[in-house]
Amino acid sequence: MIQVLIIEDDPMVAKFNRIYTEKIPGFQVAAEASGVEEGWRALESHSIDLLLLDVYMAGENGIDMLVSLRKKEVPVDVIVVSSANDRTSIERALRYGAADYLIKPFDFDRFKEALVRYKEKTAWMREAPSLEQEALDHFIINRTNKNHKSQPLPKGLTKITFQRIIKQIEHKNGNWFSTGELAEDTGISRVSLRKYLQYLESQEVLLIDASYEGTGRPLRQYKANPERAAFFNDPNEK
């Protein structure tokens, strides 16, 4: 059982994080903390495998805690769960070894994906007697079998529509675009587009930036992930 510590200063968000976590087999919330200082105490008193860590908490910064964890070589993994969507926070978190970065608000499917992928990688690392490159790519770099020619599309997605969307994303030349802009370019409804964009996001083909409008609703923008350029350059799919 993977033991989880939630560090989150919003009680309602912490409650949902607990509910989400305990819905997923193999995970148990061992403790909760409302801030960094309390989080350190929880780490001392509990055997923790995974930390769900917020960034901004009443003057304390979760990324600073992540940096300290790595400097002290504390054997715990971290998934950042935060509304902090600035590139500095994200880059710093990933640079210091965050296993994933979830930007609030997120849905349960994305949360589940992060934890299940973490569980699979952890199980494989514990059981594998040696490291083969293909398996390493799959569990560590997450590149193997993540191109669209090697995987069937999820139910409800069609190849013709998928290719039309990919072509238009290519035409963006690495620039940010919104669902509305892509809908105008492709002639596909926003509702349908979101299904394809969610799939591309799950394949780590798209980078996402979420900002908030005056209504408080998140405005999501996308662009092609340069690290997955091969996905857009497959001559067999043109």
Side-chain angles (χ1 to χ4, degrees), residues 37-89:
E37 184 176 346
E38 187 179 348
W40 281 112
R41 291 198 296 270
L43 283 172
E44 292 174 357
S45 58
H46 295 80
S47 178
I48 301 298
D49 302 301
L50 176 64
L51 185 59
L52 299 183
L53 179 65
D54 194 6
V55 174
Y56 300 126
M57 296 174 289
E60 299 175 295
N61 190 294
I63 305 298
D64 290 339
M65 181 180 186
L66 172 58
V67 174
S68 296
L69 286 167
R70 295 299 170 249
K71 288 182 178 179
K72 295 178 180 180
E73 299 185 356
V74 178
V76 63
D77 294 309
V78 174
I79 292 177
V80 175
V81 182
S82 177
S83 60
N85 63 352
D86 59 285
R87 289 182 178 80
T88 299
S89 294

Side-chain angles (χ1 to χ4, degrees), residues 162-181:
F162 183 70
Q163 289 176 335
R164 190 195 313 176
I165 292 170
I166 289 296
K167 184 176 181 180
Q168 289 301 325
I169 293 176
E170 284 184 285
H171 289 167
K172 299 296 182 183
N173 295 319
N175 295 315
W176 292 99
F177 61 88
S178 66
T179 305
E181 291 170 343

Side-chain angles (χ1 to χ4, degrees), residues 12-35:
M12 186 60 68
V13 175
K15 177 181 178 180
F16 278 109
N17 286 350
R18 171 185 280 274
I19 292 172
Y20 278 0
T21 299
E22 295 187 338
K23 275 187 176 182
I24 304 171
F27 291 87
Q28 177 178 335
V29 177
E32 295 180 27
S34 60

Side-chain angles (χ1 to χ4, degrees), residues 137-170:
D137 287 346
H138 179 67
F139 287 102
I140 306 300
I141 308 176
N142 293 313
R143 288 177 180 170
T144 300
N145 292 330
K146 284 215 167 183
N147 57 72
H148 54 287
K149 69 176 181 179
S150 63
Q151 288 191 17
L153 290 173
K155 185 178 180 180
L157 306 188
T158 68
K159 187 172 182 179
I160 293 176
T161 301
F162 183 70
Q163 289 176 335
R164 190 195 313 176
I165 292 170
I166 289 296
K167 184 176 181 180
Q168 289 301 325
I169 293 176
E170 284 184 285

